[in-house]
Amino acid sequence: MSASDFGRFLHSQLFVKLPSPTESYAGKTVIVTGSSSGLGKEAARHYARLGVGKLVLAVRNLEKGAAVKDDIETTTQCAKGVIEVWKLDMASYESVKNFANKVNDELEHLDIVIANAGLNPTKYVLVEEDDSAITVNLVSTFLLMGLLLPKLKATAAKTGTRPTFTIVSSEAHRTIKFDLASVPEGKIFSTLNNKERVDKDGQDQYGISKLMQIITVNPGLCHSEMTDSLDSRGFRMMIAILARSTEEGSRALVHAGAQGAESHGKYLSECKVKDPSSFLLTEQGMLVQGRVWVELERKLEGIWPGIRNNF
């Protein structure tokens, strides 16, 4: 991260207060992935508080999800039956497919998806075809998007509204040391799946996965299970001094889900459209984005033939 980027980060964490959402979500159907804890849980609580018609908690652990459902119902006094808990394990392509099929079969319409589920591993773990950070944060996220786009498009045609699919990213995309532009043509995923490189600097893999998914919203540095579990003393100190509360960070997710065409494909931070990493704005960065998409699309086609037609 450059000195100017770090200065902006400090200013944001110390002086920018994110607005609490106030608009009504009556009649809306919302999915929040990774909603059994952290930012996803608090974003789900906001939706329940604001009168959402149907709220799907998409979680890996159904028992934990049921406890969150009870907690949100108690704290918001939302109507019984508004919140449903559905199984979604982003580490399994089959689980993503099953979840998407359930959405398409059982939901009358779909207005907002907050794709919050993610991993921040520090060591290499093979999940499906790639390292876990790449599989969960990137491939499964776009697999889910591709499989839900028909429902989102059908909702738009039926209601005359603009549904949104929001991917939760991170300022960590500015910090990576790895030079994606130096990777040979067609070798981005295979290079990122190198165990020796990941184990040497696993934290960089998280930033890389976030750089590669950067049509996103950034909630800032927040307290969460993901950050609280890291064992770096320096990072824990930074969390203690600078991190937003989980609830405040979740406001950015709800804000992003409510935005219109002006936010499409854009990076949102501090509840505003912002420029992402300067690398992405360069000619070289744009070329890398195109190469990533070609490889990702090919991978997604292998998982679900014909999915490219949904984008």
Side-chain angles (χ1 to χ4, degrees), residues 100-164:
N101 285 335
K102 185 176 173 70
V103 169
N104 289 319
D105 290 343
E106 298 186 16
L107 296 184
E108 292 184 11
H109 58 93
L110 178 58
D111 302 282
I112 297 170
V113 180
I114 304 296
N116 166 73
L119 286 180
N120 188 3
T122 56
K123 294 294 182 181
Y124 179 91
V125 178
L126 181 65
V127 172
E128 295 288 0
E129 303 167 340
D130 297 284
D131 172 56
S132 59
I134 300 301
T135 294
V136 171
N137 297 347
L138 182 66
V139 182
S140 285
T141 297
F142 280 86
L143 175 63
L144 181 65
M145 176 193 278
L147 295 178
L148 294 186
L149 275 172
K151 176 64 75 172
L152 292 166
K153 291 175 182 178
T155 299
K158 180 179 180 180
T159 65
T161 61
R162 179 181 287 271
T164 59

Side-chain angles (χ1 to χ4, degrees), residues 2 15 89 91 102 105 111 154 209 216 220 222-223 236 243 253 303 306:
S2 68
F15 301 110
D89 183 357
K102 185 176 173 70
D105 290 343
D111 302 282
S209 71
T216 58
C222 306
H223 289 282
R236 288 201 304 269
L253 279 60
I303 300 167

Side-chain angles (χ1 to χ4, degrees), residues 272-301:
K272 300 175 183 177
V273 174
K274 298 270 189 174
D275 283 339
S277 162
S278 57
F279 167 72
L280 291 173
L281 303 178
T282 65
E283 182 177 355
Q284 187 180 53
M286 292 178 184
L287 288 172
V288 168
Q289 289 181 70
R291 289 175 54 204
V292 168
W293 178 248
V294 168
E295 287 196 40
L296 177 58
E297 186 182 54
R298 187 181 304 128
K299 185 180 285 288
L300 294 175
E301 276 290 305

Side-chain angles (χ1 to χ4, degrees), residues 178-185 188 211 279 284-285 287-288 291:
F178 184 71
D179 181 11
L180 277 170
S182 68
V183 178
E185 192 75 26
I188 290 176
L211 180 70
F279 167 72
Q284 187 180 53
L287 288 172
V288 168
R291 289 175 54 204

Side-chain angles (χ1 to χ4, degrees), residues 162 164 255-268 271-274:
R162 179 181 287 271
T164 59
H255 168 269
Q259 301 312 293
E262 74 283 352
S263 69
H264 180 69
K266 301 294 179 63
Y267 180 64
L268 286 87
C271 294
K272 300 175 183 177
V273 174
K274 298 270 189 174

